[in-house]
Amino acid sequence: MNNYKRLLCLSTLIGLFSLVSYGENKDPLSNIDMKISLKKSYIENIINKELPTTITDNGSGTEFFKSKNNLLSIGMNLLGAVDKKYAQKFRWSYSITRGDIAFDAKGQNIQGIAPYTGTLQAQWDANNNVVDANLSGTAGINSNIVINQNWEIIPDSTPIFTISNSSFPLNLNIYGMDFKTNININDSIQKKIVQNLQKATDVLDEKIKSFDLRSLVQEQWQKLKDPILVNKDYNLWLTVNPQSASYSNIISDKDDLGLKIGTDVYLHLYFGEKPQELALNQLPPINFGNVDDSFTINLPITGSYDALNEQLHKNLSEKQIDLPLDTKVAMTNLNLHSENNLLKLDSDMSFSILGLFHPKAKVVATINPQYNSETSSFEKSTFDYNIITDSFLLKVINFVGHRFIKNKVQEQLFSLKADSYLTTFKDILQKTIGQYPMDNKAILKTQITSLKLNNISVEPQSLSITIGITGSSVLEVLNPETK
């Protein structure tokens, strides 16, 4: 993956990172929130493995007595003990069928619950005291998931089990005495099912813990200390200076479970020399807080005049430009700079007029760009120029047509709408950072909603523009247990 793609992806991925602010930063702050999601089917598979769709079990009264089940509470209280032959005569069995698992999220808790129905048969001997009953209830897992300040995911999962109609009447005759008691099968069924659910909770907790969020963040964090080279040809560098981090409550969508992580961060793109390394020494704590559904990036792009002049020389110097009236011009020694918060562009120009005249001149243009982000246009911007030449022809042309030339250049220069160019850039950016794989653990998916030019700033040593980008990102966890 080239540096350009890696860099642009990291500008979204910083939703995972933060840093305590160091020093004063005049850049606009970006708010980057993203969602980390896990397929519900992943948890379903764990529960399905430990809790089959159909569960059957059977046994005798001796098992109840060994476990001190309250099956014959009235009879045992009256007699003090029951002959083993009575216990051995008692038989019970049940069959339970589980439904589909439904997920719900509230706060920092996830619940995966499945309803079940079934039948129970219990009898004292082959012919008497038979009880047939319908069973119903719920079984599943409740998980409380938090991220501690050390960026560790801490899950705490417990089984969920409920049963209705767990107590059934049974008429007994013991040593010639008639008793009415209740069969309480809750303990027996619960013991069977909860044991399996406990296995599922242990597996789920272990797999969630094994998704090492801190290592994932730390690995990317170290890459942010050094400014990232976006494009070698243009000497374009990105600095990323995150400020804080927080995470949200659990979110339950149709197919996914997840939470949101957000950060406030300073971003900056530079043309020219490599900026200084940032003082990103350690991960800050991450805290529970309010996190939005999207990111809002304010990206300043700053070019030193030396760097911009280098690009002007590469792209315009000595290239011939066609003008009206069979006139051609070539520019050399281009020099962009600022003076009194105005842009100045000096250039030596060689003209060819009608193929007969070849005068030369030095032109100094003054540009005052005033950009309106609401209308995406350069309203109230101005342009003017001065010409220095020994050519009588150019002096006459300039004297007669200075106002006309100035107005025409100003009209052409500032009538351009930024929308079409920004749309093209947005499409390129979306294609570049739409999907970013992170080893085999996860994939970062980003959707850019809008991209807008916010403002232009003329500084003494540089020219800056600020781009506003909005969108949303989801980090889909593919393999939580991968180390």
Side-chain angles (χ1 to χ4, degrees), residues 323 327-330 347-354 357-363 385-403 405:
L323 299 176
T327 300
K328 304 179 187 299
V329 62
S347 176
D348 294 332
M349 294 188 174
S350 300
F351 294 86
S352 175
I353 304 173
L354 302 175
F357 306 99
H358 303 280
K360 295 182 179 181
K362 183 179 181 65
V363 176
Y385 73 94
N386 290 323
I387 186 169
I388 303 171
T389 181
D390 293 331
S391 169
F392 177 76
L393 177 61
L394 289 181
K395 289 180 180 180
V396 171
I397 293 175
N398 182 56
F399 179 80
V400 175
H402 182 90
R403 181 183 295 273
I405 295 172

Side-chain angles (χ1 to χ4, degrees), residues 54-57 93-97 116-121 135:
T54 301
I55 302 173
T56 59
D57 199 9
S93 64
Y94 65 81
S95 176
I96 291 175
T97 300
Y116 67 79
T117 58
T119 57
L120 166 77
Q121 186 178 79
L135 302 175

